[in-house]
Amino acid sequence: PAYQNLRQKVDNFVSTHLDKQEWNPAMNKNQLRNGLRQSVIQSGMLEAGVDRIISQVVDPKLNHIFRPQIERAIHEFLAAQKKEESVPAPPPPEPENKDPPAPSQDAS
């Protein structure tokens, strides 16, 4: 319902805005479109409408759908982190030849 309400408000706003414009073929359509877009944004109706959509759609699902999934993902991540910390890293391999290499002598 909030989405349908917002869509109807925007449609009415656009219709009213365009009714006030006197059309002629020399008009720059991009300027007209950008002016309309700015008017819609400045009216604040989109921001308020999106807030209503979130409160009607997202908020009711937040605690019983999204929150448990977020908590499960966090617990799995933390468990993986803890596992990585508790497993000691294997010691670095020892070099096979402990003597430093002899300097090469060129026969030139």
Side-chain angles (χ1 to χ4, degrees):
Y3 171 76
Q4 292 169 341
N5 186 24
L6 177 60
R7 183 177 174 147
Q8 185 176 15
K9 280 184 179 182
V10 171
D11 286 346
N12 290 339
F13 186 90
V14 169
S15 294
T16 302
H17 184 83
L18 293 176
D19 286 343
K20 294 176 185 176
Q21 299 292 320
E22 190 168 321
W23 172 253
N24 68 53
M27 289 180 79
N28 185 328
K29 293 177 188 175
N30 285 332
Q31 284 180 335
L32 180 64
R33 189 178 299 121
N34 287 336
L36 175 58
R37 185 178 294 121
Q38 288 301 319
S39 296
V40 169
I41 290 170
Q42 288 173 355
S43 74
M45 81 174 83
L46 286 179
E47 192 172 329
V50 169
D51 286 345
R52 278 194 290 277
I53 290 171
I54 289 172
S55 67
Q56 282 186 3
V57 177
V58 177
D59 288 349
K61 297 176 182 178
L62 188 62
N63 284 327
H64 70 281
I65 294 177
F66 297 134
R67 187 181 193 125
Q69 291 180 5
I70 292 169
E71 287 176 351
R72 188 176 323 112
I74 291 171
H75 286 294
E76 289 171 3
F77 175 77
L78 292 176
Q81 290 286 325
K82 194 171 186 179
K83 233 182 235 182
E84 287 178 10
E85 290 173 4
S86 65
V87 175
E94 291 186 27
E96 291 182 22
N97 185 0
K98 293 187 180 185
D99 294 332
S104 65
Q105 298 207 355
D106 254 344
S108 41

